[in-house]
Each structure stands twice: as C-alpha cells, then as structure tokens.
Amino acid sequence: MSEPTEERHRLRVVVADDQAAVREPLAAVLGLAEDIDVVAAAADGTEVLAAVAAGPVDVVLMDLRMPVMDGIETTRRLCEEYPQVAVVVLTTFADDDSILGALGAGARGYLTKNAGRKDITRAIRAAAAGQSVLDREVQDRLLATVRNTTTTSTTAAHAPVPGSALPVDLTRREREVLALIGQGLPNRGIAEQLFISEATVKTHINNLFAKAGIQDRAAAVRRAIEAGLA
C-alpha cells in the first residue's frame, strides 16, 4: 500500500485591477492553476487591504492605476503592515516612475499586461518563494536608468544647463511636472495628464523645488517660462 502524498500548498492570491473586464477574466484564468486559489478580486487599494486583513493571503497581483488608493501606495502599505504578503505588479505602464515607485515600495515582481498566463503564474510562485521576476522590458529600463544615473553622478549635481535655468539633475518626470505647473495646472490636473497619483505629483514637486531652489508655485511658473517649458 503506497503512502499518501503530501498535498501541495495552494497559493492564496488577490487580484487587484479597477477594470472588471480585466479583473474578472484574470481571476478566472489564474484559478485554473492547480496550486493557485484566487481568494478575492479588488477594484482599488482599500479593497486589497480589506481582503488581506480578512486573509490569509500569500500574493497580491497588483495593478498600479486604481482609484481611491493606487497600486504604489497600496504596495507600500502592504509591505509595512503585512510583510509576509508578496506583491507582483501587473500593469500597462513601464515608465521609470512606475517601475521605480513600485519596486521602491516593495513589489517583488513587475510585469506588463503583455505577459501571458504562464509568465504571470510563474511570477506569482516566485514572489511567494521570496524571489523576483521582472518583465524583460522592465529589466532593460532599469539597466538604462542605472547607467544614466552613473553617468549623471560624474557631473556637477546642480550645474545649470545653458539657457535653461534648471539644474541638470532634474529627472524627465520632474521637468514634465514643472512644465505643467507653468501651464497653470493644479496637482490634480497634473496627475490626470501624467496618469500618476496626486501624492506622486507632490513628491515630484517637492524634489524639483529642492533641486532648483524654488520657493513657491509662482516662482515655479517663472522658472518654467524662463526654461522654455511653458
């Protein structure tokens, strides 16, 4: 008589996406995997936190652009309050701010929505095991960012670009935010234009004000005009 085999642990997963047309089919497909149970589907960050609190949860498959609480802030909250829960980002966006923001907040994996079911399930299993899986495009962008940062660090950190009146270490996103300030947009309008949260806009504004020595919004408008951004 053969001995009973040990039952394989099934991973408890929360799928988070604000679009039901994405969230529900994705949850159904993942539920077909023999080692994955989709225990909840969430439309925003607050629903994710509620689902994890009701737990137990092993992995959250996280969209970044969600109302109420976006994916980056939700990831940060999860890592602070539920460090045992792994986060894998699944998003349309692969820009530097999204990638660095999500990984900086504690995400273990980052995939774009071009990823297939096998890629997603592999990333979920890896994250649950404490490993990281990054989309190839994401890896390439991270390498480019590291190379650019290394190159920039060899130059004078606050040397002005001729004719621009701006320090060279402003990031592309910070310049975009400054340009939109110069056009008179409030933080909410900037967030909508760049598809980022208002909290992220405030972070960019604080950083660019500190780097450029800008004291207030009126001064920011003047600098944007002087630099030809507005």
Side-chain angles (χ1 to χ4, degrees), residues 38-76:
V38 177
V39 296
D44 59 57
T46 59
E47 292 186 8
V48 171
L49 293 176
V52 172
V57 172
D58 297 303
V59 180
V60 175
L61 189 62
M62 184 85 71
D63 187 24
L64 291 185
R65 303 297 193 264
M66 297 185 295
V68 186
M69 184 186 297
D70 66 19
I72 291 177
E73 179 59 26
T74 306
T75 299
R76 185 175 294 110

Side-chain angles (χ1 to χ4, degrees), residues 24 29 36 39 48 54-55 65 76 84 101 118 123 125-126 171 182 199 202 205 220 222 228:
E24 294 173 2
V29 168
I36 292 176
V39 296
V48 171
R65 303 297 193 264
R76 185 175 294 110
Q84 76 279 11
K118 290 183 179 180
R125 292 169 185 139
T171 66
K202 290 178 183 178
I205 289 175
R222 288 195 298 271

Side-chain angles (χ1 to χ4, degrees), residues 7-8 39 47 66 102 108 138 167 219:
E7 185 178 354
R8 186 176 183 181
V39 296
E47 292 186 8
M66 297 185 295
R108 288 187 192 167
V138 172

Side-chain angles (χ1 to χ4, degrees), residues 5 10 14 17 62 66 83 126 144 149 160 165-166 177 185 189-190 203:
T5 58
R10 294 177 65 85
V14 173
D17 196 296
M62 184 85 71
M66 297 185 295
T149 300
L166 295 175
V177 169
L185 269 66
I190 295 172
T203 298

Side-chain angles (χ1 to χ4, degrees), residues 148-169:
N148 183 61
T149 300
T150 302
T151 301
T152 301
S153 66
T154 63
T155 66
H158 295 284
V161 176
S164 75
L166 295 175
V168 296
D169 60 340

